[in-house]
């Protein structure tokens, strides 16, 4: 079966492409290389000994995408990763985010919907905003997102929900990832942050390796045991597996559900201080850090209720946070 992976040279898309190839799917990647490098394709080839089709293409270019889909008129599914993902950049330049993440998606969605190709959409726990309680279930109220980035995910989810209602023959699964971390065990692909990282894990690995002087811990006065924020860190290899399960679910003719929203996390929370301690244990290095003020928009505690993923997809996370941190460190050293 032929699967189109948009943004397939990015962090999550590259790991999913590897697993798809290993499972025997034919993989077609489009990416405009806005936040990735062509060298990732070499990494995918080295790991799998297989060559996915790759085309440098911008999903905002309707005519090019249409032409591309006419060449590949036998697609069984689309996994859509292509989007911008920086929360802070989206606050500085909201239009850039609405343009790429919403307009780009509508372009693609119009074309794949016409062709009735099932869709897996990358959403985010950010859609929950500051949830009333944890663990967060899929039916938790969607609060106002803290950033234009988060709003683009909420809008795209609504677009898919409404479209699916109006056209029962298009199937979609929306996956709400919690905090993706880790890298492929080979150390050949991983997260490649553009410029200074904003996320905790790449910030720590770059500090430990000496690229950055010290980590700023954003607040130790939260209502948590050690005062730092708690997140649900999900390994990218487990996340990739969740996409395969979602694909199997969506391609199963007996399954008559046209639209599902599913949390993908571990169901466990770790504080920033706990993460630092695990890093120090795994790497046997001391991390330089300083506690500073809270970062605007951070919620104190976020972790997933993953029972729906287990029930519907038969998926649960397998890798421990220690394993994720070890693979992130391996990737930083190889990179
Ligand atoms: P990433 O930036 O590493 O990958 C996205 C890829 O899409 C990049 O290779 C980029 O070049 C490409 N791209 C962007 N705009 C494009 C366009 N218009 N046309 C073609 N290609 C384009 O990001 P990621 O971490 O792999 O995230 C993948 C998806 O998952 C995104 O939709 C993101 O919003 C979502 N997500 C990510 C996280 C996270 O923390 N990494 C969490 C929740 C959801
Ligand atoms: C984790 C914890 C910080 C950096 C973001 C997006 C979310 C999703 C995943 C895409 C928080 C603390 C961080 C640092 C720190 N992405 N921290 N010092 O904010 O939970 O989620 O990535 O959809 O939308 O918002 O992840 O890794 O930035 O932060 O103390 O230098 O680490 O305060 O508690 P976050 P993160």
């Amino acid at each position: 079966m032929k699967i189109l992976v948009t943004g397939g040279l990015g962090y999550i898309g590259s790991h999913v492409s590897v697993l798809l190839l290993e499972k025997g799917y034919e993989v077609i990647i489009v990416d405009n290389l806005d936040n990735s490098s062509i060298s990732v394709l070499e990494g995918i080839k080295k790991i799998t000994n297989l060559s996915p089709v790759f085309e440098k293409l911008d999903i905002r270019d309707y005519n090019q995408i249409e032409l591309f889909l006419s060449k590949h008129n036998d697609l069984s599914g689309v996994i859509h990763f292509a989007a911008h993902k920086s929360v802070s950049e989206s606050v500085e330049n909201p239009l850039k985010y609405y343009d790429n993440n919403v307009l780009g998606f509508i372009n693609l969605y119009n074309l794949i919907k016409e062709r009735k190709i099932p869709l897996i959409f990358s959403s985010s726990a950010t859609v929950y905003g500051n949830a009333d309680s944890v663990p967060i279930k899929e039916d938790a109220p969607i609060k106002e997102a803290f950033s234009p980035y988060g709003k683009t995910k909420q809008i795209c989810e609504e677009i898919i929900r409404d479209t699916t209602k109006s056209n029962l023959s298009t199937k979609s699964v929306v996956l709400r990832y919690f905090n993706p971390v880790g890298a492929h065990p080979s150390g050949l692909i991983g997260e490649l942050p553009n410029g200074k990282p904003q996320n905790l894990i790449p910030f720590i690995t770059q500090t430990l390796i000496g690229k950055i002087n010290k980590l700023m811990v954003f607040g130790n006065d939260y209502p948590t045991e050690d005062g730092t924020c708690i997140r649900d860190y999900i390994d990218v290899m487990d996340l990739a597996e969740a996409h395969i399960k979602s694909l199997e679910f969506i391609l199963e003719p007996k399954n008559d559900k046209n639209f599902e929203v599913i949390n993908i996390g571990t169901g466990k929370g770790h504080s920033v201080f706990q993460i630092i301690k695990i890093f120090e244990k795994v790497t046997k290095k001391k991390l330089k850090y300083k506690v500073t003020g809270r970062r605007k928009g951070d919620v104190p505690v976020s972790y997933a209720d993953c029972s729906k993923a287990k029930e519907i997809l038969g998926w649960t996370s397998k890798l421990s946070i220690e394993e994720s941190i070890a693979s992130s460190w391996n990737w930083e050293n190889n990179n």
Side-chain angles (χ1 to χ4, degrees):
M1 275 191 246
K2 221 188 222 186
I3 308 298
L4 170 63
V5 183
T6 73
L9 295 190
Y11 173 40
I12 304 169
S14 56
H15 289 79
V16 171
S17 295
V18 162
L19 202 56
L20 283 167
L21 288 163
E22 286 174 349
K23 299 266 179 189
Y25 291 95
E26 200 180 328
V27 176
I28 318 278
I29 294 175
V30 298
D31 199 304
N32 66 355
L33 304 181
D34 176 87
N35 196 34
S36 52
S37 143
I38 195 69
S39 63
V40 178
L41 191 61
E42 292 313 309
I44 295 173
K45 287 182 189 169
K46 259 195 195 155
I47 295 169
T48 60
N49 276 323
L50 293 164
S51 284
V53 171
F54 170 70
E55 202 159 310
K56 184 169 183 274
L57 219 159
D58 195 311
I59 54 155
R60 283 168 296 182
D61 189 335
Y62 187 88
N63 292 337
Q64 287 292 322
I65 293 277
E66 192 173 34
L67 187 67
F68 178 83
L69 289 177
S70 66
K71 277 193 281 175
H72 299 282
N73 57 7
D74 51 350
L75 290 175
S76 298
V78 174
I79 310 185
H80 178 55
F81 296 105
H84 295 318
K85 64 164 177 179
S86 160
V87 171
S88 62
E89 189 190 40
S90 79
V91 174
E92 280 157 30
N93 193 351
L95 267 183
K96 179 176 175 183
Y97 277 69
Y98 289 113
D99 178 46
N100 200 35
N101 295 10
V102 180
L103 284 183
F105 170 66
I106 291 175
N107 247 351
L108 177 81
Y109 195 37
N110 258 317
L111 288 165
I112 64 173
K113 200 187 79 65
E114 267 170 24
R115 291 160 179 75
K116 305 208 184 311
I117 309 170
L119 167 74
I120 297 174
F121 179 82
S122 296
S123 190
S124 167
T126 198
V127 299
Y128 293 115
N130 195 359
D132 296 327
S133 61
V134 284
I136 306 174
K137 278 181 90 81
E138 289 82 352
D139 59 4
I142 298 297
K143 303 276 194 69
E144 186 175 351
F146 290 116
S147 67
Y149 165 73
K151 285 186 191 150
T152 67
K153 292 294 175 190
Q154 292 178 336
I155 293 168
C156 289
E157 284 198 7
E158 288 306 317
I159 292 171
I160 300 168
R161 183 179 282 112
D162 288 346
T163 307
T164 312
K165 267 190 225 154
S166 71
N167 179 349
L168 291 178
S169 55
T170 316
K171 284 186 179 181
S172 309
V173 170
V174 168
L175 298 179
R176 290 181 182 155
Y177 318 148
F178 278 65
N179 289 55
V181 293
H184 192 272
S186 63
L188 290 168
I189 53 171
E191 188 172 8
L192 269 177
N194 214 346
K196 207 170 190 181
Q198 298 177 13
N199 294 113
L200 181 66
I201 304 297
F203 209 105
I204 294 180
T205 58
Q206 292 201 11
T207 309
L208 284 169
I209 212 152
K211 283 189 208 163
I212 295 172
N213 181 29
K214 62 164 89 91
L215 170 78
M216 296 296 173
V217 173
F218 298 138
N220 65 351
D221 57 352
Y222 284 97
T224 60
E225 211 164 291
D226 63 21
T228 64
C229 292
I230 291 176
R231 295 288 181 274
D232 185 338
Y233 297 95
I234 172 74
D235 195 282
V236 70
M237 299 301 293
D238 279 335
L239 188 55
E241 184 72 39
H243 287 79
I244 306 292
K245 295 282 188 190
S246 301
L247 206 51
E248 288 167 359
F249 170 77
I250 215 168
L251 295 176
E252 169 56 60
K254 274 190 272 169
N255 150 40
D256 57 359
K257 282 291 191 87
N258 287 297
F259 178 73
E260 289 288 359
V261 176
I262 306 174
N263 282 342
I264 303 294
T266 64
K268 293 184 208 102
H270 287 91
S271 74
V272 177
F273 282 157
Q274 283 175 325
I275 295 293
I276 293 175
K277 277 203 192 100
I278 300 169
F279 257 107
E280 291 186 334
K281 198 170 141 210
V282 167
T283 63
K284 300 185 178 57
K285 279 171 165 274
K286 202 92 199 116
L287 180 79
K288 277 206 264 176
Y289 70 87
K290 185 177 167 211
V291 176
T292 172
R294 292 182 178 195
R295 182 173 67 177
K296 200 166 163 257
D298 272 342
V299 299
V301 183
S302 164
Y303 56 92
D305 180 314
C306 302
S307 47
K308 189 168 177 188
K310 187 172 182 190
E311 185 197 324
I312 292 194
L313 306 177
W315 174 91
T316 46
S317 68
K318 294 190 191 93
L319 295 165
S320 67
I321 187 71
E322 286 78 8
E323 286 169 302
S324 302
I325 283 177
S327 66
S328 300
W329 183 233
N330 181 41
W331 162 244
E332 185 67 64
N333 280 290
N334 270 20
N335 182 12

